[in-house]
Amino acid sequence: MRAAPHTLRITRPDDWHLHLRDGEPLRSVVAHSAAQFARAIIMPNLRPPVTTAQQALDYRQRILSAVPAGLRFEPLMTLYLTDELPPDEIGRAKAAGVLAAKLYPAGATTHSDAGVTDLRKIRKTLEAMQRAGMLLLVHGEVTGSDVDLFDREAVFIEQQLIPLRRDFPELKIVFEHITTRDAADYVQQADRFTAATITAHHLLYNRNAIFSMGLRPHYYCLPVLKRETHRLALVRAATSGSDRFFLGTDSAPHPAHLKEHATGCAGCYTAHAAIEMYAEAFDNAAALDRLEGFASFHGPDFYGLPRNTGSITLRRESWTPPQRFAFGQAELKPLRAGESLPWRLVPADGTTSLEVGGDEPAR
Ligand SMILES: NC(=O)N[C@@H](CC(=O)O)C(=O)O
Ligand SMILES: [Zn+2]
Ligand SMILES: [Zn+2]
């Protein structure tokens, strides 16, 4: 048997699904992602949502100005699809460098109230995207109160995704943050125009995490964590070597007081330790050799972008993320707060990743 490696060097990874928010909260969190990832696909679910090319360009500029000096980070922008989005905005967005548009079924998740109420209403926009080569990113859950929360992803595949795939065969679709064996199987068997992102928390946890010795709101996200058989299927997909699956943290910061609330917000914050959590999940599956493809190659290959050239190093060294970070005027409780992690990112400049951000907002 080979000895378990103590360090792991991989091509610098990207995050293909990230929420950075805006204003002061943005300035509090962006350094965490920039310390780990070269690029990230930035979700457009602000209030109001990012629905025009100009808004995407302005938001990109605000993100760049929030990146601390000395860190390089490229935000890759997306548009938020609504029933009213004019199809010709797609051409303007494409020309402005926007890579993708995001489908939030109305009511499916955080800040999705302006989302699409019926796919038939956006056919012309989807046609324009297919023509322009703009990717469609989907939050794949149906919303009806008649469908059990834990079945919403599987029902979405049958009711929405299969017809969508048939009607727009050459539209590149990323099924975002998949959480079920159904979704992993669907993507594995689909053609080369379909891929999926998988979060670190869905690789590490099943739904017991939300209910373990009391209700734990920091494990609540959408799509919600599923049962263990689904987690195992996600681990198999991520570590299979298949280029259909790639890294997307879905790190989704919310003020702690709104998560620890009678109607707590959905979203887990993982950007402070994302690559470390993925390394842990791949290590648990004895598949560390597959991490680089998943984290650094499959995403850019699917998006048609160049792979990164630099590298990062991870060390097997236990460390403990802090209990909280500042988040604008509020607090942010990260996943694994106060709990040890077995892998640690070795920062390029010799400081520790914990010092980026620290207990204070990173500026
Ligand atoms: N994942 C989440 O639970 N929340 C995300 C929205 C999303 O990605 O669905 C958020 O913006 O907070
Ligand atoms: Zn989502
Ligand atoms: Zn998300």
Side-chain angles (χ1 to χ4, degrees):
M1 216 177 90
R2 268 191 308 163
H6 282 273
T7 60
L8 180 66
R9 191 183 167 99
I10 60 169
T11 300
R12 193 166 184 81
D14 302 303
D15 183 351
W16 299 95
H17 183 129
L18 176 65
H19 300 270
L20 285 178
R21 315 306 188 201
D22 208 345
E24 271 196 77
L26 160 66
R27 288 192 290 276
S28 300
V29 297
V30 69
H32 284 154
S33 295
Q36 303 209 330
F37 298 106
R39 301 171 285 195
I41 283 281
I42 310 299
M43 289 295 131
N45 63 334
L46 303 180
R47 278 211 157 119
V50 178
T51 54
T52 67
Q54 190 57 50
Q55 287 171 347
L57 286 174
D58 293 346
Y59 183 30
R60 180 170 184 278
Q61 225 29 68
R62 296 197 295 281
I63 295 168
L64 287 173
S65 354
V67 175
L71 290 176
R72 290 223 345 238
F73 181 64
E74 190 183 351
L76 306 171
M77 306 312 291
T78 62
L79 281 195
Y80 182 116
L81 292 173
T82 69
D83 290 352
E84 280 82 40
L85 190 94
D88 57 4
E89 194 62 28
I90 296 301
R92 281 191 288 276
K94 177 81 183 172
V98 172
L99 296 178
K102 179 74 192 261
L103 168 66
Y104 290 102
T109 186
T110 306
H111 300 171
S112 64
D113 30 307
V116 173
T117 60
D118 186 336
L119 277 177
R120 284 172 298 195
K121 295 191 177 163
I122 60 162
R123 291 195 71 84
K124 290 214 150 38
T125 305
L126 295 173
E127 276 162 21
M129 288 174 61
Q130 180 170 253
R131 260 197 318 275
M134 187 178 284
L135 282 80
L136 176 71
L137 315 181
V138 299
H139 179 110
E141 289 193 288
V142 294
T143 55
S145 57
D146 52 327
V147 181
D148 190 279
L149 182 81
F150 291 94
D151 298 334
R152 288 181 175 181
E153 186 172 280
V155 174
F156 179 87
I157 297 170
E158 297 302 320
Q159 289 185 357
Q160 311 273 337
L161 192 52
I162 291 173
L164 182 70
R165 188 63 299 171
R166 194 174 53 227
D167 292 352
F168 300 95
E170 300 209 346
L171 179 64
K172 276 191 180 174
I173 298 179
V174 186
F175 195 168
E176 299 284 352
H177 48 41
I178 60 167
T179 62
T180 56
R181 183 173 51 202
D182 312 66
D185 288 350
Y186 174 81
V187 171
Q188 188 70 68
Q189 288 156 22
D191 65 22
R192 66 190 172 86
F193 293 97
T194 310
T197 55
I198 307 181
T199 78
H201 46 290
H202 287 96
L203 292 175
L204 288 171
Y205 300 106
N206 63 38
R207 63 192 188 179
N208 288 348
I210 310 169
F211 307 104
S212 155
M213 296 186 297
L215 190 58
R216 297 188 182 239
H218 298 287
Y219 289 93
Y220 173 58
C221 66
L222 289 170
V224 74
L225 293 170
K226 303 294 191 300
R227 59 169 71 239
E228 179 66 0
T229 48
H230 293 294
R231 187 190 72 82
L232 291 171
L234 298 177
V235 170
R236 274 197 304 277
T239 60
S240 66
S242 162
D243 60 5
R244 299 298 174 70
F245 300 100
F246 43 88
L247 187 158
T249 63
D250 193 21
S251 179
H254 290 275
H257 67 276
L258 295 181
K259 285 195 66 68
E260 298 164 1
H261 189 273
T263 53
C265 295
C268 297
Y269 187 70
T270 55
H272 64 298
I275 196 66
E276 290 94 334
M277 288 174 59
Y278 281 107
E280 181 180 351
F282 276 65
D283 194 11
N284 290 345
L288 278 174
D289 57 329
R290 297 270 166 87
L291 181 63
E292 184 176 45
F294 177 81
S296 314
F297 297 158
H298 303 164
D301 293 355
F302 189 76
Y303 272 78
L305 295 173
R307 295 176 177 181
N308 296 319
T309 47
S311 64
I312 61 162
T313 302
L314 287 148
R315 192 187 295 143
R316 194 187 293 280
E317 171 192 320
S318 87
W319 66 288
T320 305
Q323 292 289 351
R324 56 186 63 78
F325 295 106
F327 187 54
Q329 302 304 309
E331 281 184 347
L332 176 61
K333 299 228 180 123
L335 218 63
R336 295 295 271 277
E339 286 175 40
S340 87
L341 284 159
W343 284 92
R344 183 165 208 174
L345 179 67
V346 181
D349 63 1
T351 56
T352 67
S353 56
L354 191 59
E355 285 156 16
V356 178
D359 260 321
E360 293 302 318
R363 297 202 187 273

